[in-house]
Amino acid sequence: MVRVYDLTTEHLKNPLGIDAVRPRLSWKIEGDGSGIWQTAWQVQASAKEDFETLVWDSGKVCSEQSLYNRYGGPTLRSGERIFWRVKIWTETEESSFGGPAWFEMGLIAESDWEAKWIEPEEDVDYDSYQPAGYLRKSFQVKEGLVRARAYFTAHGVYYFYLNGVLGSEDMFSPGFTSYYKRLQVQTYDVTDFLRPGENVLGVVLGDGWWRGALGGGSLRNHFGYKTGFLGQLELVYADGSREVVASDGSFLATDLGPLRKTDNKGGEIYDARMEMEGWSSPGFRAEGWRRAKETDGPKDMLIASRGVPVRCQECFSPKVLVTPDGETVLDFGQNIYGRMEMAVSGPAGTAVTMLFGESLDKHGNFSQKNIQQPKGMPPYTEPYQENTYILSGRGKESYVPMFSAHGFRYVQLKGYPGEVKPENFTARAIHSACPDTGDFVSSDETLNRLVSNCRWTGKNNYVEVPTDCPTRERAGWLGDAQVFSKSAADFMDVYAFMEKWTLDIRAEQYPNGVCCNVAPTTSIYHNPEERKRKGSGFAYYSSKGADEAIEREGFAGWGDACVIIPWNMYLCYGDRTILENMYGTAKAWVEYERSCAKDRNPYWSSAKWYQNADGADPDCDYIWDTKYHLGEWYEADFDIDTMREFLADQHVKGSPWLATGFFGYSAKLLSRMAGVLGYEEDRRTYEALAERIKAAYNNVFVEADGSVCGKRHAESIRALAFGLVREDMEQTVADRLNRMLIENGYHFNSGFLSTGFLIPVLCKYGYADTAFQILGQREMPSWFYEIDCGATTVWEIWTGIDEKGEREGSQCHYSPAAVADSLFSVLAGIRPMEEAPGYKKILIEPVTGGGLARVEASMDSPYGMIRSGWERKGKVVTYSVTVPANAEAKFVLPYSYEIYGRILKQYPDAERSGREIRISLFSGQHQIVV
Ligand code: RAM
């Protein structure tokens, strides 16, 4: 029997508080047997779960599309909840209604807001850490309350309590966005928290991204100096009457609570002696509290929460270590981003300090060195990744950090009274709650560990925005994010997360098309006063001041994220909304690249591409040889001195091959975006541009012997992965890359931007053996080397351990973890197809080898579960494939006469196409034995 399940609205399950005017409705389908296709659907929507009266009935719509069908009911109003259910037809069956699901609108008009911005603080010292601000409002609720909603947002991050009870498990709300342009509002159903009579709302505000330390330079006060709150409670009674409790100057405020410091990166200080028993409950005498300051802060940037909430998730228990230096260290066995909860008892005033780190030094002592500032910058002088709990002395106490989370596996404990017992400590991973969707297991335990390391590196860095690392910078670096985006989508459902974040890339684009390297930027750009006080916020890149530094935004490979990520998300989820949102941004970026390519760089005046510079349409107009770039970044054989040298003259030389490569790739993807969106003229324009860049690229960078700009592996990998090499030269370039790798003892020297493409490129051109050698490589640089060194996440720098034997660089950076996609999309061979994205049409082209006996990948795609795996027994390989309903797969194996013969016996429709054998598979389970 055919059945619909997993109903979502705007990619989310029953979202509360959205502002989409025509929300996207999606469902999955399952049934018995093979070849299930939706031929029609019908959605009914109602204000009540009983569906007795409908607000909308789509009627029977003949369409195969089960994803992102737009709600077509009457205009949605603020606060309106809609229940919806769906049935579908296949060629032979009619399902019953599945669901119901619901969605509820948030406050969608500025005029819905009665609340005023309020601030708990009076004067603040910009240069020191501030205690948390506490807000309290007592209000009356009448008999007959039927519904209560809270609409809250903040400058800083907030938690709220109603009558002493924490109102939500969501963390770090309102999330991280380009606050002056987009500030998210959360909606909560708080009906069950309230009772007739006196009720109290309590709000605590921490520094968060608003004014907390962030980025490589650890600058603070990025958006402002003071925290603030805007919120209203809406109460609806049985008689239809409505009341609003809105933030205003009647809220009481104090900063004399226990949270003395709330910096995300610097850590938290909690003085339990200052707890204010009952402060968010009725009956509390708010002595010494003052009135909150009402401000006329704007509300025109408010949007409904669009991402995925950050939540506490997996738990870990520690082993207790005593290090050679006599330190007490808790080892949680897994590098996570999260918090440590602690039970403790002892005398009042005892301070327990917790230092969080990713590694031990070579002697086995606790160390934070590798997560300090980037090499070459002075180390932090302030406490860093450090929480302090001061005991109240009231017996058994438990400490749960609220506003600080850190990247760590180890915690050094100082001053803990009594015996340190593991059962008194729990580490909890914290990340955006993107549902887990993908898994990969094989017969090789080290490979399985690699999967886990990549997965954890992703989770630890998907916290509101995709970050570079959960320790040193915690910043939304675009380059890292684009490189890992496809792998992230293999592991988790990241569409909503990415749709939200890419809008911040859009919000932060400069008028000339430049995309910031980090979004939201970590350059205190948003706080002009702070910028004046501190000089250039871009100090990280420039010693020469702000103007030159702005020049250094929009690195090739970083800025291109505005094109690459939307495209990857479109391929993986099939939703064109992200393309609609980002098209203008992507186009402006590509036009910026075009203008940079047109600019001439005197340094290169005698280079090949300037040879016909005066002619019509010369190559030099398509070679981007200007501006400052970071190149590949952290190439496997680079040491810090070579890197410094390289960076020193970047502003003179640029990175022509790399920048042109990205320019060409982005132009190509932009033309595809235009094609999907029906912008025919743009499609043609950018296709032609991409072709012209490719021609120039081949003219000047690709040699007859297959070399691409010299000996670096990255250039060949990128050129092949981006389709930049003229077709008749592709194999020659691949052959040479393969030779270089073998001559180098199966060691690659590519870096951040290209290494993720290495395995797919090698396999595509017939070098699976080399690919497996590299994957299984145990010497540095390699993924297995890190695992042999005990890594539980993927490192930023391939060496990871310096010449003195100390850990160096972050141990949790996901650019090198982009290899994960090779496991799903090459070894198991699961790939989305552009002609029907979102895995409606799935390409399954597995690659066997490397001594592996078994591989099994699963991916809960937008259409349902896809599985692909193979098992080798002697000479026989059995491939197993599961295709979800309403989707189909093309299964591809390399042609050989023998194999084709065997396949034809099982699948008489199998086709031979050139060097491939292709089988069409419909929904259901399949086995192919060869
Ligand atoms: C590092 C960041 C990030 C990278 C930039 C260029 O400091 O951690 O990974 O994208 O620099």
Side-chain angles (χ1 to χ4, degrees):
M1 233 183 35
V2 67
R3 185 177 87 85
V4 264
Y5 70 104
D6 251 4
L7 282 62
T8 58
T9 308
E10 293 291 288
H11 291 261
L12 304 168
K13 286 218 164 102
N14 301 338
L16 178 59
I18 60 170
D19 57 7
V21 285
R22 294 183 63 225
R24 289 160 279 180
L25 311 179
S26 309
W27 53 88
K28 289 177 183 164
I29 300 163
E30 65 181 6
D32 308 323
S34 185
I36 297 169
W37 293 105
Q38 172 185 297
T39 53
W41 56 268
Q42 178 178 17
V43 167
Q44 292 185 336
S46 168
K48 293 215 176 105
E49 217 165 342
D50 58 17
F51 287 88
E52 264 173 25
T53 9
L54 300 181
V55 291
W56 177 53
D57 188 341
S58 69
K60 185 171 175 180
V61 180
C62 289
S63 159
E64 242 183 49
Q65 197 43 267
S66 50
L67 301 177
Y68 326 126
N69 290 300
R70 296 277 174 185
Y71 175 76
T75 308
L76 293 159
R77 286 168 288 116
S78 288
E80 189 173 5
R81 180 177 286 213
I82 298 288
F83 294 89
W84 64 276
R85 59 185 187 179
V86 57
K87 66 152 56 172
I88 63 132
W89 286 261
T90 67
E91 267 165 23
T92 51
E93 278 184 78
E94 176 178 342
S95 79
S96 50
F97 274 107
W102 55 263
F103 62 87
E104 187 176 306
M105 302 306 285
L107 297 185
I108 52 177
E110 211 184 314
S111 56
D112 293 326
W113 285 95
E114 292 176 30
K116 307 232 165 56
W117 277 104
I118 53 173
E119 292 174 350
E121 293 162 325
E122 289 177 325
D123 294 328
V124 297
D125 173 357
Y126 299 169
D127 293 313
S128 32
Y129 293 106
Q130 303 300 316
Y134 291 77
L135 293 163
R136 173 187 156 85
K137 170 75 183 173
S138 156
F139 59 97
Q140 296 295 319
V141 173
K142 294 184 301 205
E143 290 288 343
L145 182 77
V146 289
R147 167 191 153 120
R149 293 287 180 271
Y151 302 99
F152 292 164
T153 188
H155 294 157
V157 283
Y158 73 89
Y159 285 102
F160 75 98
Y161 298 81
L162 280 162
N163 301 323
V165 180
L166 185 65
S168 167
E169 56 175 331
D170 296 356
M171 305 182 71
F172 308 143
S173 301
F176 190 19
T177 48
S178 186
Y179 292 130
Y180 287 104
K181 295 198 175 138
R182 296 159 29 79
L183 177 57
Q184 300 190 116
V185 175
Q186 283 73 39
T187 303
Y188 306 96
D189 179 351
V190 294
T191 321
D192 294 340
F193 287 81
L194 303 179
R195 55 200 177 211
E198 189 192 357
N199 288 263
V200 170
L201 165 67
V203 177
V204 200
L205 293 167
D207 294 354
W209 297 278
W210 180 261
R211 70 172 182 191
L214 191 64
S218 254
L219 299 166
R220 294 174 53 230
N221 303 314
H222 284 273
F223 289 87
Y225 297 109
K226 288 186 183 178
T227 55
F229 175 71
L230 178 80
Q232 68 193 38
L233 286 169
E234 297 201 2
L235 314 178
V236 180
Y237 293 94
D239 62 7
S241 61
R242 189 178 154 271
E243 280 172 356
V244 173
V245 180
S247 57
D248 62 15
S250 71
F251 276 52
L252 296 180
T254 187
D255 55 10
L256 293 174
L259 276 160
R260 307 311 302 155
K261 175 184 171 189
T262 66
D263 190 60
N264 191 25
K265 209 160 147 181
E268 185 170 298
I269 299 176
Y270 189 94
D271 189 341
R273 294 169 305 179
M274 297 183 76
E275 274 173 2
M276 304 170 292
E277 191 66 45
W279 70 276
S280 60
S281 300
F284 177 75
R285 289 177 51 209
E287 268 165 28
W289 290 54
R290 54 178 180 259
R291 280 175 175 272
K293 191 173 152 218
E294 227 177 79
T295 73
D296 51 8
K299 296 172 203 152
D300 56 351
M301 81 299 271
L302 298 178
I303 54 168
S305 205
R306 299 202 179 152
V308 182
V310 175
R311 299 234 170 101
C312 251
Q313 322 227 12
E314 300 84 346
C315 287
F316 298 88
S317 301
K319 276 196 199 124
V320 182
L321 315 176
V322 178
T323 69
D325 279 358
E327 307 150 335
T328 304
V329 171
L330 304 171
D331 175 2
F332 288 95
Q334 172 64 50
N335 198 19
I336 59 166
Y337 176 73
R339 71 185 187 198
M340 185 182 76
E341 302 169 2
M342 168 178 82
V344 61
S345 39
T350 311
V352 183
T353 301
M354 297 144 254
L355 281 153
F356 296 77
E358 291 185 314
S359 60
L360 302 177
D361 70 10
K362 66 173 172 189
H363 305 293
N365 294 312
F366 178 82
S367 169
Q368 281 188 333
K369 269 202 194 113
N370 70 295
I371 46 171
Q372 288 272 341
Q373 301 275 63
K375 261 200 170 175
M377 290 184 77
Y380 293 121
T381 47
E382 299 181 39
Y384 167 69
Q385 292 225 131
E386 177 177 317
N387 290 356
T388 300
Y389 179 79
I390 303 169
L391 274 73
S392 69
R394 285 193 290 259
K396 202 166 169 127
E397 304 179 35
S398 57
Y399 171 51
V400 178
M402 297 186 73
F403 290 119
S404 74
H406 304 297
F408 70 100
R409 167 175 168 175
Y410 301 95
V411 181
Q412 184 187 355
L413 265 188
K414 291 182 186 169
Y416 186 85
E419 195 191 333
V420 177
K421 295 185 188 154
E423 60 268 29
N424 287 329
F425 303 89
T426 307
R428 301 255 265 149
I430 292 173
H431 42 90
S432 289
C434 300
D436 284 323
T437 50
D439 202 5
F440 178 98
V441 278
S442 73
S443 51
D444 183 325
E445 277 315 311
T446 320
L447 198 58
N448 297 343
R449 179 75 237 183
L450 176 61
V451 172
S452 168
N453 288 9
C454 294
R455 185 199 297 282
W456 272 106
T457 309
K459 285 189 183 215
N460 295 344
N461 281 303
Y462 269 43
V463 183
E464 262 300 305
V465 303
T467 62
D468 58 331
C469 57
T471 47
R472 186 185 71 220
E473 306 190 23
R474 308 171 178 212
W477 281 95
L478 270 65
D480 310 47
Q482 62 91 354
V483 167
F484 188 69
S485 57
K486 175 67 172 53
S487 297
D490 295 331
F491 284 125
M492 303 179 277
D493 178 356
V494 295
Y495 182 87
F497 176 90
M498 276 299 188
E499 188 179 281
K500 173 217 164 222
W501 181 62
T502 46
L503 287 170
D504 290 300
I505 299 182
R506 181 171 94 175
E508 304 234 328
Q509 186 173 38
Y510 290 95
N512 68 349
V514 170
C515 285
C516 288
N517 297 319
V518 177
T521 181
T522 49
S523 64
I524 56 175
Y525 171 85
H526 294 292
N527 184 351
E529 199 179 333
E530 187 66 356
R531 185 116 186 242
K532 239 183 272 152
R533 265 170 26 92
K534 289 272 157 82
S536 164
F538 296 84
Y540 180 44
Y541 307 117
S542 168
S543 50
K544 294 186 188 145
D547 291 340
E548 187 204 36
I550 290 171
E551 280 279 289
R552 294 186 182 190
E553 285 285 15
F555 305 143
W558 273 257
D560 296 278
C562 74
V563 193
I564 297 170
I565 294 177
W567 183 251
N568 280 348
M569 293 302 112
Y570 170 70
L571 288 183
C572 294
Y573 299 95
D575 190 344
R576 49 183 272 162
T577 313
I578 196 164
L579 301 186
E580 287 161 7
N581 290 347
M582 295 302 290
Y583 186 74
T585 305
K587 182 172 168 178
W589 166 256
V590 170
E591 285 303 332
Y592 165 76
E593 291 185 306
R594 192 211 290 260
S595 72
C596 292
K598 270 220 149 90
D599 284 346
R600 301 197 170 182
N601 185 347
Y603 177 86
W604 291 106
S605 58
S606 52
K608 212 170 168 187
W609 54 97
Y610 281 104
Q611 274 165 19
N612 295 311
D614 300 329
D617 201 30
D619 279 348
C620 63
D621 283 355
Y622 301 92
I623 300 296
W624 181 6
D625 59 3
T626 58
K627 300 289 179 201
Y628 188 93
H629 305 285
L630 290 187
E632 263 284 291
W633 200 236
Y634 283 128
E635 279 166 280
D637 56 353
F638 263 39
D639 56 34
I640 198 79
D641 295 324
T642 337
M643 181 116 129
R644 230 179 247 143
E645 229 170 81
F646 166 80
L647 293 179
D649 55 11
Q650 263 300 288
H651 60 282
V652 180
K653 293 184 184 168
S655 289
W657 30 91
L658 179 132
T660 306
F662 275 95
F663 175 32
Y665 188 48
S666 284
K668 179 164 82 182
L669 297 188
L670 184 66
S671 84
R672 302 222 177 135
M673 279 190 185
V676 173
L677 298 175
Y679 305 146
E680 190 42 32
E681 202 182 319
D682 276 14
R683 190 193 63 72
R684 269 186 275 116
T685 307
Y686 291 106
E687 188 177 52
L689 175 62
E691 281 305 315
R692 183 64 190 89
I693 300 165
K694 181 170 172 174
Y697 189 94
N698 282 275
N699 290 345
V700 302
F701 296 137
V702 184
E703 306 292 337
D705 68 350
S707 68
V708 184
C709 327
K711 291 203 172 133
R712 308 302 300 169
H713 302 161
E715 308 314 326
S716 309
I717 302 170
R718 184 186 317 114
L720 291 169
F722 288 178
L724 292 163
V725 181
R726 232 178 42 219
E727 226 166 88
D728 60 334
M729 281 300 293
E730 282 181 22
Q731 192 61 44
T732 316
V733 170
D735 295 346
R736 187 171 169 281
L737 170 65
N738 181 56
R739 264 198 319 274
M740 287 197 292
L741 289 161
I742 294 175
E743 280 161 18
N744 208 26
Y746 299 99
H747 293 128
F748 52 82
N749 60 31
S750 48
F752 262 38
L753 297 179
S754 303
T755 305
F757 296 112
L758 178 56
I759 305 289
V761 159
L762 287 171
C763 291
K764 178 169 176 197
Y765 293 100
Y767 293 115
D769 286 348
T770 309
F772 279 108
Q773 287 282 348
I774 289 174
L775 203 53
Q777 171 68 267
R778 298 205 101 100
E779 286 170 9
M780 203 281 294
S782 76
W783 296 278
F784 282 15
Y785 167 76
E786 299 181 4
I787 293 169
D788 291 341
C789 293
T792 60
T793 41
V794 178
W795 299 347
E796 173 181 27
I797 313 177
W798 289 102
T799 49
I801 297 174
D802 68 11
E803 43 315 320
K804 293 191 204 115
E806 300 295 355
R807 296 283 162 138
E808 65 172 348
S810 136
Q811 311 273 297
C812 191
H813 251 65
Y814 54 44
S815 310
V819 67
D821 184 52
S822 309
L823 310 183
F824 286 93
S825 73
V826 181
L827 269 56
I830 305 174
R831 298 204 281 275
M833 288 173 81
E834 196 179 326
E835 57 180 283
Y839 297 97
K840 184 151 182 56
K841 281 199 179 155
I842 313 155
L843 178 67
I844 298 190
E845 192 177 357
V847 174
T848 57
L852 289 174
R854 184 175 55 91
V855 145
E856 242 179 74
S858 58
M859 200 186 270
D860 195 3
S861 77
Y863 289 92
M865 193 58 87
I866 304 169
R867 289 181 203 278
S868 167
W870 46 263
E871 191 164 9
R872 176 186 290 282
K873 279 199 185 128
K875 285 196 170 150
V876 180
V877 181
T878 307
Y879 295 91
S880 309
V881 174
T882 305
V883 180
N886 213 20
E888 63 186 301
K890 274 258 162 305
F891 181 84
V892 177
L893 285 182
Y895 174 82
S896 88
Y897 179 76
E898 221 191 340
I899 292 182
Y900 189 41
R902 272 186 237 151
I903 285 183
L904 278 179
K905 284 193 197 134
Q906 306 162 61
Y907 291 90
D909 293 344
E911 287 168 21
R912 179 189 170 177
S913 159
R915 288 192 291 176
E916 289 175 355
I917 305 167
R918 295 186 188 167
I919 311 175
S920 295
L921 302 177
F922 294 140
S923 62
Q925 290 176 12
H926 309 268
Q927 275 207 340
I928 301 124
V929 186
V930 299

